[in-house]
């Protein structure tokens, strides 16, 4: 009889242990089982198709064409660099060119000079780091937030998300799916709620939970609608009133929009202090020159590039790899 009691007691103890870990997993969002495995983040040129500019540039100068410089400028414009950026690049290369030098090599050096050093996300200060993410509907903003959350969670950071896009239908539901995948904590309210109130609650909740990073989604704002841009400024002020500081403001741009993306970016920079660009959908029909156009005209660094659909397909931007891809 004693042996039977020992066996029953052991089984009950095991069941209690299993129940404890099941409840714990559910309360933490299933972090241990839902974070997608991914390799360490490495720099990327984006998934732009090879531009083939290097060979064409060399052929222009090998033929000793009288209009080689004008033709070079045309090539750059067709690559979506934009008129201003193309003219500046040609002027830079022309000032350094000596007959017999490799014009494509000089072009690569000037591209790197324009892009500047790579600026990868560096979050390590004490307290809560806040990333504000802005952009128009359809650019891939919510998806980018989900990928960024997954990347940071894979690095061991505790991530919270704020669903402050309370205007777009199903925006909160979409962010909830990404939060589950990344093992992130989500703060949301009903559709139509005050975006600032969501942001305030999210800062309070993230601070109480000891989160490392809070990523704030915002409504997909038309850059021509001033009241919506004013609302974006309000969200930032509310975050600061809640006791946090916006460390980064990422503007998400669809690389396929080409030069129209410049107009979008300029309007956002006039409303908030954008610290970097995330270029999405580089695996589509986008031309790589948009990278240079954004950098040249707005003086904003490209921080990340979207190269696919999975959680692992957000990569830090690598300027050298991009220059090689554009010229290859």
């Amino acid at each position: 009889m004693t042996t039977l009691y020992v066996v029953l007691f052991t089984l009950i103890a095991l069941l209690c242990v299993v129940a404890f870990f099941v409840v714990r997993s559910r309360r933490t969002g299933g972090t241990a089982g839902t974070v997608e495995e991914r390799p360490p983040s490495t720099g990327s040129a984006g998934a732009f198709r090879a531009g083939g500019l290097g060979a064409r540039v060399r052929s222009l100068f090998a033929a000793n064409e009288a209009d080689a410089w004008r033709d070079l400028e045309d090539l750059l414009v067709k690559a979506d660099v934009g008129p201003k950026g193309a003219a500046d690049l040609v002027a830079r290369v022309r000032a350094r060119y000596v007959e017999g030098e490799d014009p494509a090599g000089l072009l690569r050096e000037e591209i790197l000079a324009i892009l500047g050093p790579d600026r990868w996300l560096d979050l390590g200060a004490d307290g809560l780091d806040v990333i504000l993410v802005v952009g128009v509907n359809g650019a891939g903003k919510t998806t980018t937030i989900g990928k960024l959350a997954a990347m940071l969670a894979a690095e061991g950071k505790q991530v919270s998300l704020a669903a402050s896009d309370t205007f777009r239908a199903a925006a909160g539901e979409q962010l909830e799916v990404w939060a589950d995948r990344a093992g992130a904590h989500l703060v949301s309210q009903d559709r139509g709620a005050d975006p600032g109130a969501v942001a305030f609650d999210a800062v309070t909740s993230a601070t109480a939970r000891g989160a490392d990073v809070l990523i704030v989604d915002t409504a997909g704002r038309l850059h021509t609608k001033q009241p919506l841009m004013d609302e974006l400024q309000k969200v930032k002020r509310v975050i600061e009133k809640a006791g946090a500081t916006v460390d980064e403001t990422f503007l998400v741009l669809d690389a396929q929009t080409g030069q129209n993306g410049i107009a979008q970016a300029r309007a956002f920079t006039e409303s908030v202090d954008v610290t970097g660009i995330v270029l999405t959908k580089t695996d589509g029909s986008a031309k790589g020159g948009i990278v240079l156009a954004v950098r040249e005209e707005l003086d904003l660094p490209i921080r990340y590039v979207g190269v696919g659909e999975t959680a692992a397909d957000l990569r830090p931007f690598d300027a050298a790899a991009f220059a090689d891809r554009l010229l290859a």
Side-chain angles (χ1 to χ4, degrees), residues 80 136 223 253-254 256-266 290:
D80 229 353
V136 299
H223 58 283
L253 290 179
D254 180 349
Q256 299 175 117
T257 59
Q259 291 298 310
N260 185 50
I262 302 296
Q264 295 176 8
R266 185 174 289 110
I290 187 62

Side-chain angles (χ1 to χ4, degrees), residues 82-307:
K84 182 179 183 298
D88 181 56
L89 259 179
V90 169
R92 286 168 173 261
V93 175
R94 192 169 191 171
R96 296 180 54 198
Y97 179 72
V98 177
E99 188 173 352
E101 283 197 83
D102 178 14
L106 291 176
L107 183 60
R108 181 184 186 278
E109 292 175 7
E110 294 303 328
I111 288 173
L112 291 177
I114 289 173
L115 293 176
D118 297 331
R119 288 183 54 194
W120 293 14
L121 191 61
D122 182 18
L123 301 176
D126 293 336
L128 179 68
D129 291 306
V130 179
I131 302 173
L132 187 67
V133 183
V134 302
V136 299
N137 283 335
K141 177 169 52 65
T142 303
T143 300
T144 295
I145 290 172
K147 293 178 180 179
L148 184 59
M151 181 185 73
L152 293 172
E155 294 174 358
K157 296 186 181 298
Q158 186 174 345
V159 182
S160 289
L161 304 179
S164 289
D165 182 356
T166 60
F167 296 103
R168 181 170 65 89
E173 290 82 352
Q174 183 184 3
L175 196 61
E176 184 177 9
V177 171
W178 277 107
D180 288 340
R181 291 180 183 176
H185 177 251
L186 175 66
V187 175
S188 63
Q189 294 184 15
D190 293 335
R191 185 184 176 195
D194 179 9
V198 178
F200 188 93
D201 289 348
V203 172
T204 303
S205 174
T207 302
R209 294 169 64 88
D212 300 303
V213 186
L214 170 65
I215 308 175
V216 182
D217 191 9
T218 57
R221 301 167 194 282
L222 295 174
H223 58 283
T224 56
K225 301 295 184 182
Q226 189 59 41
L228 292 176
M229 302 303 282
D230 292 341
E231 183 67 34
L232 183 58
Q233 294 174 341
K234 175 186 173 184
V235 169
K236 183 178 180 182
R237 290 196 302 270
V238 168
I239 290 172
E240 294 170 347
K241 185 180 292 186
T245 300
V246 176
D247 299 278
E248 298 275 10
T249 300
F250 288 160
L251 171 58
V252 179
L253 290 179
D254 180 349
Q256 299 175 117
T257 59
Q259 291 298 310
N260 185 50
I262 302 296
Q264 295 176 8
R266 185 174 289 110
F268 277 97
T269 59
E270 293 170 355
S271 298
V272 291
D273 296 325
V274 176
T275 58
I277 300 292
V278 179
L279 272 181
T280 62
K281 308 178 187 179
T282 66
D283 54 332
S285 60
K287 296 179 180 179
I290 187 62
V291 169
L292 290 166
V294 170
R295 188 70 175 98
E296 181 79 356
E297 297 197 30
L298 300 169
D299 195 29
L300 286 172
I302 309 299
R303 303 290 293 277
Y304 288 89
V305 285
V307 299

